[in-house]
Amino acid sequence: MPVMLEVKNHVAYITLNRPEAMNSLDPESIADLAEIWTRVRTDPDIRVAVLTGAGEKSFCTGTDMKKAPPPTECMAATYLREGQPLLPHMKMWKPIIAAINGYAVGGGLEIALACDMRIASSNAKFGLTEVKVASLAGLNGTQALPRSVPQAVAMKMLLTGEMISAEEALRYGLVSDVVEPSALADLARTYAEKIASAAPLSVQATKQAAVLGKDMPLEHGILYSHLLWGVLRDTEDRKEGFKAFGERRTPEFRGA
C-alpha cells in the first residue's frame, strides 16, 4: 500500500510507503491520504496523528513527477471544483506530528508545514525547490514558510530553491527536536502518547486557540482563549481531571 495506517493507544501512525520513489506522492497516495485524514478527523478513538515516511532517506519529496497525470481541463475548472487535493483534509483540531526522516522537499515540506509539531532525524533536509523546475510552492509553502522561520531565511529558500540541514532547521525554529535516525520513531511515539493521555477536548481547544489566535490582535486572542476555557469548564473530563488530581491518580479522559 502506498500509505499505511496503524491506530494504537489513541494514536494514528501514518506512513508514506513508497521508499523506492523517495516517498513521493502519486495519485493513489493522495487518494489514500485523503481517506486517512478523514478517518483521523472523525474517529473519536483517535486523539493525535504521527506522519512519517518509510525508510530513513526521505520523509516526502512531493508530487511524483513521473506519475503526475496530464491536465484534462483548464486550471480554473479544476481549482474551482476541487480546490487543493491534499491539505484541506489535514485541517482538524486534533494535533498532527511530522516525524521527518530524511528529505522533506517541495510538497513534502509543505505537508510538514501543515502539521502542528515537526521533529527530525539528523540526516533530514528541507527545501522548496519549485523555482528550479519553473513552478511555485503552491500548496502552502509561499505563505507557511515565512510564518515558520525568519523572513530572510524563508525568502532565501523560496527564491533560490536551496535546501537547509536538520541543524539549520532546528536553529531557525522549523523543527523542535533533532535526533539520530534510529531514535526518531521513539521520540514521535513519546510525544504522541503524551498528547493522547491528555484530555482530548482540552488538547483540541488549545490547538484551536493557538492556531486561530495567530491571526487575531493579542487582546482578541486572549478573549477567545477565555471563551474556550469556559466551554471546557463544564465537561466531564474537566471534572475527572480535578477529581483524579485530588485522589492522586491518573485521570481517565473520555473526550466528553
Side-chain angles (χ1 to χ4, degrees), residues 1-17 32-33 35-37 39-40 43 45-52 95 97 185-186 188-189 192-193 196:
M1 297 178 60
V3 185
M4 299 189 300
L5 171 65
E6 178 186 11
V7 178
K8 184 177 180 181
N9 297 328
H10 302 297
V11 181
Y13 295 95
I14 304 163
T15 304
L16 304 176
N17 189 34
D32 283 354
L33 279 171
E35 292 183 6
I36 288 171
W37 290 128
R39 178 180 170 186
V40 171
D43 187 342
D45 188 54
I46 297 174
R47 299 180 179 181
V48 58
V50 174
L51 176 65
T52 193
I97 301 170
D186 286 342
R189 185 179 305 107
E193 290 182 350

Side-chain angles (χ1 to χ4, degrees), residues 233-245:
R233 186 188 63 184
D234 299 323
T235 62
E236 293 300 317
D237 278 352
R238 191 167 188 269
K239 297 174 186 177
E240 165 63 11
F242 275 63
K243 183 179 179 182
F245 180 81

Side-chain angles (χ1 to χ4, degrees), residues 176-220:
S176 62
D177 302 81
V178 173
V179 295
E180 291 302 310
S182 59
L184 184 64
D186 286 342
L187 181 62
R189 185 179 305 107
T190 296
Y191 282 143
E193 290 182 350
K194 284 183 178 180
I195 293 171
S197 70
L201 296 180
S202 177
V203 168
Q204 292 176 46
T206 297
K207 173 178 173 176
Q208 186 177 111
V211 170
L212 297 183
K214 288 191 302 183
D215 295 324
M216 298 180 186
L218 177 59
E219 187 61 29
H220 293 185

